[in-house]
């Protein structure tokens, strides 16, 4: 299981990379490996607003479908359009192939998210 440094993680297996007032969001290696081969990713539109914990996307694999939730609230600034054409990019490198970039609405939403070390311990118990 690959876990990137410099990111924060949720118990629902999403990651967030904060860059100033913006952040990139995606799913973890744990999530993509348990989903299997991803065949479809439904992403929101730019300008849409979501609160912490709200579903902003859905991912479909050959095995199942799953919602992807916001690790922190914000407004969608950018969507990774490459995933619409090739959803399997998430399987090849889930950290390089982020889903959305948001403008953070409240940095306090980051409180309570897990460090890479804490997430590794958490995810290892879910195996």
């Amino acid at each position: 299981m690959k876990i990137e440094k410099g990111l924060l993680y949720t118990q629902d297996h999403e990651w967030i990379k904060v860059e100033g007032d913006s952040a990139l969001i995606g799913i973890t290696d744990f999530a993509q490996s348990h989903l299997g081969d991803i065949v479809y990713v439904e992403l929101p539109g730019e300008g849409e607003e979501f609160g912490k914990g709200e579903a902003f996307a859905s991912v479909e694999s050959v095995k199942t479908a799953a919602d992807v939730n916001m690790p922190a609230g914000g407004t969608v600034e950018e969507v990774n359009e490459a995933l619409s054409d090739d959803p399997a990019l998430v399987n090849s490198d889930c950290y390089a192939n982020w889903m959305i970039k948001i403008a953070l609405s409240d940095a306090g939403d980051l409180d309570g998210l897990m460090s890479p070390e804490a997430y590794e311990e958490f995810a290892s118990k879910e195996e």
Side-chain angles (χ1 to χ4, degrees), residues 57-77:
S58 64
V59 177
E60 293 180 20
S61 72
V62 292
K63 292 196 284 188
T64 189
D67 285 336
V68 184
N69 301 316
M70 294 288 282
T75 303
V76 179
E77 293 183 316

Side-chain angles (χ1 to χ4, degrees), residues 9-65:
Y9 296 88
T10 70
Q11 291 186 353
D12 293 327
H13 306 288
E14 292 95 12
W15 60 262
I16 184 168
K17 180 180 183 179
V18 179
E19 301 174 330
D21 294 335
S22 297
L24 297 173
I25 297 172
I27 63 171
T28 66
D29 188 54
F30 179 96
Q32 71 81 23
S33 67
H34 280 76
L35 286 167
D37 293 333
I38 294 173
V39 295
Y40 180 73
V41 177
E42 181 179 310
L43 297 172
E46 291 180 15
E48 289 190 51
E49 293 182 43
F50 296 92
K52 180 177 181 165
E54 283 188 286
F56 72 87
S58 64
V59 177
E60 293 180 20
S61 72
V62 292
K63 292 196 284 188
T64 189

Side-chain angles (χ1 to χ4, degrees), residues 53-112:
E54 283 188 286
F56 72 87
S58 64
V59 177
E60 293 180 20
S61 72
V62 292
K63 292 196 284 188
T64 189
D67 285 336
V68 184
N69 301 316
M70 294 288 282
T75 303
V76 179
E77 293 183 316
E78 192 176 340
V79 175
N80 187 349
E81 298 292 346
L83 298 181
S84 297
D85 297 330
D86 189 1
L89 289 170
V90 175
N91 291 121
S92 63
D93 189 341
C94 60
Y95 297 110
N97 293 292
W98 50 274
M99 295 183 166
I100 61 172
K101 180 178 183 179
I102 64 165
L104 288 168
S105 57
D106 182 359
D109 282 352
L110 303 172
D111 296 342

